[in-house]
Amino acid sequence: MASSNNNNNNNLNNVNGVITPPSTPSPNPLQMNMAREREKYLEEYNFPFCEAATKYEKLAKIGQGTFGEVFKARDKKNLKRMVAMKKILMENEKEGFPITALREIRILQLLKHDNVVNLLEICQTRANQFNRYRSTFYLVFEFCEHDLAGLLSNTKVKFSLGEIKQVIQQMLNGLYYIHSNKILHRDMKAANVLITKLGTLKLADFGLARAFSAQKNGQPNRYTNRVVTLWYRPPELLLGDRNYGPPVDLWGAGCIMAEMWTRSPIMQGNSEQQQLTLISQLCGSITPDVWPKVESLDLYNQLELVKGQKRKVKERLKPYVRDPMGCDLIDKLLVLDPAKRFDADSALNHDFFWTDPMPCDLSRMLSQQTQSNFEYLAPRRLNNHQSSSMRPTSSTSSQSSSTSTTSGFHERVF
Amino acid sequence: MGKKTQKMKSITKSKTKSHKQKVKAHKKNKNISKTKHRPKLRSESQDKFQKPKAPLNEYLAIRSNYNAIQFIFECGIKLGLKHITICSAAVYFHRFYKHVDENSYDKYSIASATLYLASKVQDETIRLRDLINVSYHTLHRDAAPLRLAEDYWNFRDSIVNTEMLIIRYLQFDTTFNHPHSYFLHYVQTIRPVFYSKHGKDVIVFKKAYDFLHDFYHSSAILQYKPQHIAIACLELAIKVYGIPSQIIDYEKQPWYQALVEDLDKVTLWNVMTAIMDTYDLEPTTN
């Protein structure tokens, strides 16, 4: 990896190199001249407001996914200043600047909150012959030392109850803020929850986020339901709902909260169908009795729904979550009917956060961590022995245990 | 040409016989009147079939910022974009030219690219192909559509590249607080007070809305608070059409003070003057 990094840096610096003629031979010398002039112009053009990515030195790759690559980097002028650089994927360059990146940038520019990752600037590489005269753009964020998935997979990291409360409270604070700004995150998962070494939690990766609104002119919204990493995907999305809202993020928050104790994702399905089955086995069967409007969802009749399951969120989580208040809050978040699911505000008012031990500072616990904990860098999480008791011993278990180890953490099913 | 389109129309559109006949008759009449008024059209278009070369229209004759915004509005409406999207494009255009020398880039390329960018930002993405056809046709009204050849691909490349250029000059900041939502809110508030018994109100508010849109032709739109712009448009329309004097007494308390706190008389006049100045930007045609 280091070598590729170097190589890349070379490319960036090699701005004044000799310009090689374009690989496709052009018949007309005049045209060729013009093309050369154009290339030279592009190489030497200085954008007044867009800083060069070379002002940062890449140190290590800390993330990889469908969204692209994330690097840890440091400011060359101020070596102590660390940043995270997220590369903007230009997969469809014929259509210009990707609309998804545009959306992400807009949302990040709007959201300024302690518990939301802070976008510092956007940098670009210079156009040159190595990148076919197309600049690459990087989103530059403040650097956060850990992500929650990385911390949870490190068995040496131990959270006390007060510290868990602090994490969950900050996460809900972040969600409350983004939801009151009419933004849906749509990719809540432990790996997207960052924690600085001082113990401040930041919601990250708004690559799938979007603005939401109430129904316009009585027309239901038609958002895509192919969002949220499968293990954290709420039942309404799995059933094809396209008129969803903030509750989709709170389901994920519930999953993450339970994970604080179980240490691995609580429902690791390998298909939409299996995920629904796992949900039913934990939260009870999906029926119009517990969820009145479920029948109107597109896939309600097409997917196989387990019948006769009782809700046993508290029972199944009790062995892990010793705190009855915590158990109760998870139970309120993992509610099948999105209309009855707790919103961020009522979750923050839950007694869990207002009884002893009160939420407490994380910085002391984290100061024992001398290395960053990132999911990308961590060894694969051991799902089997830890979560085997979370997984019901039903017909699907043999199938799921074989797949859960292979399913990478960056799986995002589109 | 007339015959051909007529045939095609009848194939695609006709559902009932009477409708078909109507369409035919209508087409026929239209063609007759067209040829009467524009006898050159047929020969012109036949020549253009080989190589499009249109006469200079008003856009190409005067390449002013005003005309470029006019172009944005015309193309945006032809593409069926929302008003907010078109207005965003105009704002990006002004913001871009705040930093760039007037003559460095082709204004209509910039204008097309701002429309493309605005359509992405407002979740109303238009197809590049449509944008190119509409832009080209707006500039060269009598020309045949660009064929899928070098010119077309160059046009396409230039829009994509220009978009990347603009976005960097905008510093990736594509948000703009448009006066529209304030405007609608104010209209809803004052309408029952001012005009409950008069039939005039629709005209007044329509005119105010026109002022608002016309103001996007001026880069002064960037200078003022959206609330102030909305009030100024309404006030200007009220001034133009008059308002029952027993309802508002400017000496006592101007009506807008109930809606906006930080608007003084001088600022209001400045905004109103800026709106009126927009009309001086319009190039005079001979």
Short mmCIF file of all heavy atoms in Angstrom, two decimals, chain A residues 35 194 298:
data_model
loop_
_atom_site.label_atom_id
_atom_site.label_comp_id
_atom_site.label_asym_id
_atom_site.label_seq_id
_atom_site.Cartn_x
_atom_site.Cartn_y
_atom_site.Cartn_z
N ALA A 35 -4.64 20.31 -28.85
CA ALA A 35 -4.83 19.40 -27.72
C ALA A 35 -3.72 19.59 -26.70
O ALA A 35 -3.97 19.62 -25.49
CB ALA A 35 -4.84 17.96 -28.23
N LEU A 194 -17.99 7.42 14.60
CA LEU A 194 -16.59 7.68 14.93
C LEU A 194 -16.49 8.24 16.34
O LEU A 194 -17.41 8.90 16.83
CB LEU A 194 -15.99 8.68 13.94
CG LEU A 194 -16.16 8.37 12.46
CD1 LEU A 194 -15.45 9.43 11.62
CD2 LEU A 194 -15.62 6.99 12.12
N ASP A 298 -45.27 -2.81 -0.22
CA ASP A 298 -45.19 -3.55 -1.48
C ASP A 298 -44.87 -5.02 -1.32
O ASP A 298 -45.45 -5.89 -1.97
CB ASP A 298 -44.12 -2.91 -2.38
CG ASP A 298 -44.61 -1.59 -2.94
OD1 ASP A 298 -45.79 -1.27 -2.70
OD2 ASP A 298 -43.82 -0.89 -3.61
#
